[in-house]
Amino acid sequence: MISRRIIRTKVLQVLYAYYSSEEKSLNNTEKELFFCIQKSYDLYHYLFAMVLDIADYAEDRIEIRRNKHQPTHEDLHPNTKFITNQVIHQLRSNRQLNAYLEQKKLSWRDYPELVKELYLFMVESDFYKEYMADKTRSFIDDRKFIEKLFNKIVLVAEDLYIVLEEQSIYWNDDVEFVVSMIVKTLKKFNELSDSDQRLMPMFKDQEDRDFAKDLIRKTIINHDELRELIKEHSKNWDVERIAFMDILVMQLAITEFLYFPSIPTKVSLNEYIELSKFYSTEKSRNFINGILDKTLKDLKKSGKINKAGRGLIGES
């Protein structure tokens, strides 16, 4: 589930904390990195649980109206299309989801006002009204509705971000990515999906897990060499006056150039330029691009770039 881009982002954030702290422990920093990644995976399950709680709230409201002293015809014959949504039913019975939520003690039980707010936000939306008014029903329609619920309600709800920030400093920056992973997960659900339908694993494979560990370790261990390379290729600049975050972005990129033989330099360059868009100013981005480009050319010229494997044509 955790993409290489998210791994790079997490490594950058943890590196910043590492160099900002007086106590520096490589082992503790590695543990912090995997803790951050684990929190993203927690959020993946937690947001699934939010949709189930919204459905529970909707069902409770239907029952309350049915049990009124003088219920109307509408109260007695409610539109149950949302609460009987097939994807919600599948998620509710999903063994992996339920086991993870139970193990991690993840619940929205203490946030009833947020669940209510998201429900009211949803019922006022055009996509909800259109869905409920449509008398036909298909699994695809049910799935598309849940995808819209995540993208148009969960993703943009300001109060949700406030609550998430209260619970974890790691979550706010992850919501957009996690929702995109949830939508990808839902696309694998179909009419025949049962309680054993698999959700995404935390890492795609062992290689990605190793990439996370190796990236942070190699960047820290080779800090002095990386710093010198940046200094050498920014001779018209005082390295001490370059923004610290910019230096870290460049160190990570150069680490991949030098110590990750299976990753094309073009991929590393593009990924860190993209990352700089979120963690640097526009002027910094151009500066980072220029320094990394010069550094890469010199490293190739001196024969220090050794890439091997598929997709690495043109690296020599």
Side-chain angles (χ1 to χ4, degrees):
M1 181 198 111
I2 304 298
S3 69
R4 289 273 176 114
R5 178 166 295 178
I6 295 301
I7 290 173
R8 290 178 173 102
T9 301
K10 296 296 183 185
V11 170
L12 177 64
Q13 293 170 343
V14 172
L15 269 182
Y16 186 87
Y18 171 82
Y19 285 115
S20 301
S21 171
E22 292 183 4
E23 183 181 339
K24 292 178 172 56
S25 164
L26 188 54
N27 287 334
N28 288 343
T29 300
E30 184 183 314
K31 289 177 183 177
E32 178 68 11
L33 172 62
F34 282 96
F35 178 77
C36 291
I37 293 172
Q38 184 72 59
K39 291 299 290 183
S40 295
Y41 198 50
D42 289 353
L43 183 60
Y44 171 74
H45 294 81
Y46 200 28
L47 292 183
F48 269 128
M50 169 56 77
V51 169
L52 298 182
D53 277 27
I54 293 172
D56 287 342
Y57 181 79
E59 189 166 5
D60 288 344
R61 284 176 64 99
I62 287 174
E63 286 305 309
I64 289 170
R65 288 197 296 268
R66 275 180 176 155
N67 293 315
K68 281 166 45 176
H69 182 61
Q70 292 183 321
T72 65
H73 177 81
E74 185 179 350
D75 292 333
L76 295 173
H77 302 86
N79 186 341
T80 60
K81 189 174 182 180
F82 170 56
I83 65 172
T84 58
N85 180 286
Q86 296 169 82
V87 176
I88 287 178
H89 173 72
Q90 290 176 344
L91 289 172
R92 200 181 293 285
S93 64
N94 188 276
R95 290 178 182 175
Q96 183 181 340
L97 176 60
N98 287 322
Y100 194 95
L101 294 173
E102 176 62 28
Q103 178 192 358
K104 296 290 184 174
K105 306 302 179 188
L106 294 169
S107 168
W108 295 98
R109 192 177 299 110
D110 294 334
Y111 301 94
E113 287 303 313
L114 176 62
V115 174
K116 176 182 177 181
E117 180 182 331
L118 292 178
Y119 167 79
L120 294 175
F121 187 13
M122 177 188 72
V123 298
E124 290 300 318
S125 68
D126 290 338
F127 79 89
Y128 175 84
K129 293 173 183 176
E130 290 170 6
Y131 172 74
M132 297 297 279
D134 189 349
K135 301 300 181 184
T136 63
R137 169 164 239 167
S138 73
F139 182 85
I140 298 298
D141 288 340
D142 279 4
R143 189 176 67 194
K144 286 182 177 178
F145 174 80
I146 300 302
E147 290 172 7
K148 289 179 181 177
L149 178 52
F150 277 106
N151 280 317
K152 297 188 176 185
I153 303 297
V154 173
L155 187 58
V156 301
E158 292 183 6
D159 283 354
L160 172 64
Y161 284 82
I162 293 172
V163 169
L164 291 177
E165 189 172 20
E166 289 173 356
Q167 295 185 61
S168 172
I169 60 172
Y170 301 102
W171 277 345
N172 268 7
D173 289 343
D174 289 348
V175 176
E176 185 173 354
F177 164 73
V178 168
V179 166
S180 73
M181 292 299 100
I182 285 173
V183 171
K184 284 184 179 180
T185 302
L186 292 174
K187 290 187 184 301
K188 295 183 179 180
F189 279 58
N190 58 55
E191 296 92 332
L192 301 178
S193 296
D194 58 17
S195 58
D196 291 319
Q197 174 69 32
R198 300 301 296 169
L199 304 182
M200 286 189 174
M202 186 162 71
F203 288 100
K204 183 181 70 174
D205 50 32
Q206 185 62 39
E207 189 176 331
D208 273 6
R209 180 184 287 274
D210 291 342
F211 171 72
K213 179 182 70 175
D214 291 344
L215 182 58
I216 198 161
R217 281 187 165 269
K218 290 179 186 297
T219 304
I220 291 173
I221 290 170
N222 296 289
H223 171 78
D224 292 342
E225 178 190 0
L226 299 170
R227 184 90 174 189
E228 281 302 309
L229 282 169
I230 293 169
K231 185 176 181 180
E232 178 185 341
H233 293 92
S234 54
K235 290 179 179 176
N236 296 328
W237 295 76
D238 180 355
V239 175
E240 300 303 322
R241 298 185 65 181
I242 299 173
F244 184 48
M245 188 63 83
D246 295 354
I247 290 175
L248 292 182
V249 170
M250 290 188 284
Q251 286 182 339
L252 285 167
I254 298 169
T255 297
E256 288 194 25
F257 293 163
L258 292 171
Y259 305 113
F260 288 81
S262 66
I263 301 177
T265 54
K266 185 176 181 181
V267 170
S268 299
L269 185 61
N270 289 343
E271 284 293 315
Y272 287 104
I273 295 304
E274 187 66 26
L275 197 58
S276 71
K277 293 179 181 178
F278 299 95
Y279 291 94
S280 304
T281 66
E282 189 170 348
K283 288 183 179 179
S284 292
R285 292 202 301 271
N286 294 333
F287 170 73
I288 289 170
N289 192 11
I291 298 301
L292 288 179
D293 190 55
K294 284 198 295 183
T295 304
L296 180 56
K297 286 177 181 176
D298 282 356
L299 289 173
K300 284 185 174 182
K301 188 176 180 180
S302 62
K304 292 183 179 179
I305 301 288
N306 297 299
K307 300 290 184 178
R310 293 182 300 172
L312 294 165
I313 297 172
E315 287 288 351
S316 59

